[in-house]
Amino acid sequence: MNAPAPLPAADSLRAALDGLLDGVPSRQAASAVERLIAHYRGATPTDTPILRDRADVAAYAAYRMPATFEAVHSALRAFAEAVPGWAPGSHLDVGGGTGAAAWAVSATWDGERPVTVLDWAAPALDLGRELAAGHPALRGARWERARIGSALTLEPAGLVTVSYVLNELTAPDRAALVDAAAGAAQAVVIVEPGTPDGYARMIEARDRLIAAGFHVAAPCPHSAACPIVPGTDWCHFSARVSRSSLHRQIKGGTLPYEDEKFSYVAATRLPVAPAPARVVRKPQIRKGQVLLDLCEKDPALGRTTVTKRHGALYRAARDTNWGDPWPPPSAQD
């Protein structure tokens, strides 16, 4: 009898997370997550691991890994569209904890590649290794303890990811980490929370990558300065995440999903074909028309109105989501 086909990365991750909190009272798990969220949302960078033991790691992984996976996967898909035909020969995930970004890379590009996850919390690395053991593309991943800061040196890699890490670092350490990533990688993808502060950290990183000779592949349709006037707005996107019972308990909600807001930059030394424009707000669908807020190549922010008289383009606009390229690839042929 043939062995069953391996599950796609997203399904495999959900299966790996199922039962992670078996035997842990839901109130205890919720309390651990709330305490950890309070630490992560704090304004003061930390110089010690926040995830202290397996109970901390299991609770936070069950709560946060699906959201981190969806946000990073969204950023990687946009990058892959701008650099067609390329796949990373190796992947280095800095500050990767339990490895959500490694799962997202596996979901974006087929095949196996050398994967290294660096983090300073040994319990997170241990759980990440345990979860990855059931996924063929990640079974051989290296899980290495490292202090994420200015003294960190990175080995060469096709792709370096840094997700939800910069908020834990001081400004000098953030700059050093981005510079180290730029020096080690063909491509760098950085994801931060979709808040004004997260956007500000992402823009700082974007500027450093451009100064190092990188081209922005996504989300921006250009590598010029961001057209958003500082302090007036911020660029962020949204990824839909299926809620677990733990999510619903902590958030007090009944919906089976929530939307993870995130900011990101995906840049590379390779030639890029970025989107002509990017939808930077949720499209407004009105009777007979769709209003799209766009970041355009000029660079500029603008709004376009697509009406029924535009025919196929109007139908495409009704199916367009926040964060998508515009016009859709089918309309660019």
Side-chain angles (χ1 to χ4, degrees), residues 42-135:
T44 304
T46 178
D47 59 1
T48 58
I50 295 171
L51 299 174
R52 303 172 305 189
D53 54 31
R54 183 182 171 86
D56 274 359
V57 174
Y60 202 72
Y63 181 76
R64 279 298 302 169
M65 270 191 85
T68 302
F69 170 87
E70 294 295 351
V72 177
H73 190 205
S74 293
L76 293 172
R77 288 200 311 268
F79 176 84
E81 290 171 358
V83 193
W86 180 82
S90 58
H91 173 213
L92 175 61
D93 186 22
V94 181
T98 52
W103 288 83
V105 170
S106 177
T108 306
W109 290 283
D110 292 334
E112 299 181 28
R113 59 190 55 83
V115 177
T116 302
V117 181
L118 303 180
D119 202 273
W120 53 10
L125 294 168
D126 290 342
L127 182 59
R129 184 185 297 108
E130 178 184 323
L131 293 172
H135 187 54

Side-chain angles (χ1 to χ4, degrees), residues 2 57 84 90 101 117 174 193-194 225 235 246 289 311 318:
N2 293 331
V57 174
S90 58
V117 181
R174 289 198 300 268
C235 181
L246 181 60
Q289 62 181 14
R318 290 183 61 87

Side-chain angles (χ1 to χ4, degrees), residues 243-283:
R243 272 180 167 173
S244 66
S245 59
L246 181 60
H247 278 84
R248 291 193 290 272
Q249 179 181 350
I250 293 169
K251 293 292 185 72
T254 58
L255 291 174
Y257 63 84
E258 68 177 6
D259 293 321
E260 171 75 5
K261 305 297 196 308
F262 64 97
S263 294
Y264 77 96
V265 60
T268 179
R269 297 187 183 278
L270 301 163
V272 297
R278 180 80 56 184
V279 179
V280 292
R281 290 286 183 273
K282 184 177 180 180

Side-chain angles (χ1 to χ4, degrees), residues 64-317:
R64 279 298 302 169
M65 270 191 85
T68 302
F69 170 87
E70 294 295 351
V72 177
H73 190 205
S74 293
L76 293 172
R77 288 200 311 268
F79 176 84
E81 290 171 358
V83 193
W86 180 82
S90 58
H91 173 213
L92 175 61
D93 186 22
V94 181
T98 52
W103 288 83
V105 170
S106 177
T108 306
W109 290 283
D110 292 334
E112 299 181 28
R113 59 190 55 83
V115 177
T116 302
V117 181
L118 303 180
D119 202 273
W120 53 10
L125 294 168
D126 290 342
L127 182 59
R129 184 185 297 108
E130 178 184 323
L131 293 172
H135 187 54
L138 298 178
R139 283 176 187 153
R142 295 159 49 200
W143 303 80
E144 298 185 357
R145 192 172 188 186
R147 167 72 164 82
I148 311 301
S150 57
L152 181 67
T153 58
L154 301 179
E155 62 186 32
L159 171 67
V160 170
T161 54
V162 184
S163 54
Y164 297 90
V165 173
L166 299 184
N167 62 310
E168 300 177 39
L169 304 178
T170 64
D173 281 355
R174 289 198 300 268
L177 174 55
V178 174
D179 290 348
Q186 283 185 305
V188 176
V189 175
I190 296 174
V191 180
E192 280 289 293
T195 62
D197 286 345
Y199 162 74
R201 290 188 293 268
M202 185 277 296
I203 282 295
E204 290 176 0
R206 180 185 185 275
D207 289 345
R208 297 194 78 86
L209 290 172
I210 292 170
F214 278 64
H215 312 290
V216 177
C220 321
H222 57 80
S223 295
C226 178
I228 295 175
V229 176
T232 64
D233 203 351
W234 71 100
C235 181
H236 64 293
F237 301 93
S238 180
R240 182 141 294 183
V241 184
S242 297
R243 272 180 167 173
S244 66
S245 59
L246 181 60
H247 278 84
R248 291 193 290 272
Q249 179 181 350
I250 293 169
K251 293 292 185 72
T254 58
L255 291 174
Y257 63 84
E258 68 177 6
D259 293 321
E260 171 75 5
K261 305 297 196 308
F262 64 97
S263 294
Y264 77 96
V265 60
T268 179
R269 297 187 183 278
L270 301 163
V272 297
R278 180 80 56 184
V279 179
V280 292
R281 290 286 183 273
K282 184 177 180 180
Q284 300 180 44
I285 300 178
R286 310 276 177 82
K287 185 176 181 180
Q289 62 181 14
V290 181
L291 308 182
L292 299 176
D293 291 301
L294 303 173
C295 180
E296 300 172 306
K297 282 197 173 188
D298 290 344
L301 298 172
R303 171 172 287 184
T304 188
T305 301
V306 187
T307 66
K308 281 187 174 180
R309 66 183 177 83
H310 291 103
L313 200 61
Y314 169 72
R315 292 189 292 275

